[in-house]
Amino acid sequence: MIKKNPFPFFLLTVVLIAIDQGSKLAVHHYMEPGFAGQVKLIGDWFKLHYVLNPGMAFGMQLGYEYGKLLLSVFRLFAMVGIGYYLVHLAHRGAPNGLLWAIAMILAGAVGNVIDSTFYGVFLHNAPYGSPTPWFHGQVIDMIFVDVWEGFIPEWVPVWGGQYYSTPIFNIADSCIFIGVCLILLFQRRFFGGFDPEDGMLPTSGPDATQASVLPMSEVEEESTPTPAHSDRTDESTDDTRRNDIHGVSATPTIPKED
């Protein structure tokens, strides 16, 4: 098993968090919320649009009094769990692509945790009537890919009859989305020869860092004797036992010449 240093992957996480937080603070200080401060970047479909999101990614939320608090606590535990899993996979020699993807997901989780935990206190954007500003901060969203808007048909369950537009999101949401898509698209490459628990074993070589690796299943197959080899071994053992019974040495002796 070739252990990898998780530092480069955590470094990517830190860089993405800095970009995410920098963009959110810039939008908060220099843009007006809503359509009044909207900025068109590419035509009429790619815009910056400042909105506050009290819930989860893409505006989803839990609709009861302590839903936001539970969501924030869940995000904290998820952040710790993802970070631990990243270290776990790195120490077991996981493919770099998988580690980069998880580092992106971790960056997105941490970015939104910062919003939920601190923005209600330092940016004073907790919803009116929140039990406490801590853990009730609203996430700042600004990326608006405006490709469709309108009313959803009445026959559609849950959302039928409601006005809908393309969700507005942020850098943290993008990191989570891209990381998950990478894992789904390349899961056979990431997990084809890798077990998150057993990792991958290096083959013999003078330099462990340059040695190729084999999946655990292949190592077990190589260490298991073939049926033909096993039969030959059994026959040799039986011949030796018969010779011992009759007082015949299994190894012929060559008489010495005078």
Side-chain angles (χ1 to χ4, degrees):
M1 182 187 304
I2 301 177
K3 295 178 63 174
K4 294 181 179 179
N5 184 0
F7 175 77
F9 308 103
F10 279 111
L11 181 60
L12 173 65
T13 297
V14 172
V15 171
L16 292 176
I17 292 172
I19 295 173
D20 173 66
Q21 291 300 306
S23 64
K24 290 173 179 175
L25 293 176
V27 166
H28 173 76
H29 288 292
Y30 299 109
M31 288 186 64
E32 291 291 332
F35 288 98
Q38 181 172 276
V39 177
K40 296 181 180 180
L41 298 179
I42 302 177
D44 291 329
W45 63 273
F46 189 71
K47 312 170 184 177
L48 289 180
H49 186 102
Y50 178 16
V51 295
L52 293 176
N53 175 10
M56 297 178 282
F58 306 119
M60 296 180 289
Q61 56 183 305
L62 301 177
Y64 50 93
E65 182 178 1
Y66 291 97
K68 177 66 175 181
L69 179 61
L70 292 177
L71 177 61
S72 298
V73 173
F74 170 78
R75 282 172 168 166
L76 283 172
F77 281 103
M79 176 187 70
V80 174
I82 296 170
Y84 172 81
Y85 191 56
L86 178 58
V87 175
H88 175 82
L89 292 179
H91 286 173
R92 279 155 181 76
N96 286 339
L98 176 60
L99 297 175
W100 292 124
I102 294 178
M104 295 183 67
I105 296 174
L106 177 61
V110 175
N112 286 332
V113 163
I114 293 174
D115 297 17
S116 300
T117 306
F118 301 109
Y119 279 14
V121 178
F122 297 104
L123 300 185
H124 309 289
N125 70 357
Y128 177 77
S130 299
T132 172
W134 291 100
F135 301 105
H136 283 80
Q138 299 188 76
V139 176
I140 294 177
D141 291 334
M142 79 292 292
I143 302 174
F144 187 20
V145 182
D146 188 8
V147 294
W148 184 86
E149 59 181 326
F151 285 93
I152 300 177
E154 294 284 350
W155 53 266
V156 176
V158 182
W159 297 284
Q162 299 182 18
Y163 179 82
Y164 178 84
S165 66
T166 308
I168 303 173
F169 53 97
N170 55 44
I171 301 295
D173 298 332
S174 302
C175 291
I176 296 174
F177 180 78
I178 294 173
V180 171
C181 287
L182 288 174
I183 293 175
L184 293 177
L185 290 174
F186 300 102
Q187 57 179 317
R188 295 188 64 181
R189 179 180 300 178
F190 291 162
F191 298 103
F194 172 75
D195 188 324
E197 294 301 325
D198 295 332
M200 304 181 78
L201 294 181
T203 59
S204 59
D207 188 356
T209 60
Q210 297 179 357
S212 59
V213 293
L214 289 176
M216 289 291 294
S217 58
E218 295 185 16
V219 174
E220 292 174 356
E221 290 177 0
E222 290 185 0
S223 62
T224 303
T226 60
H229 176 74
S230 178
D231 293 340
R232 289 195 299 270
T233 303
D234 294 340
E235 291 175 2
S236 176
T237 303
D238 293 339
D239 292 341
T240 302
R241 289 176 179 173
R242 285 195 296 269
N243 291 335
D244 290 341
I245 293 174
H246 293 86
V248 179
S249 174
T251 304
T253 58
I254 302 175
K256 297 182 179 180
E257 296 181 359
D258 295 333

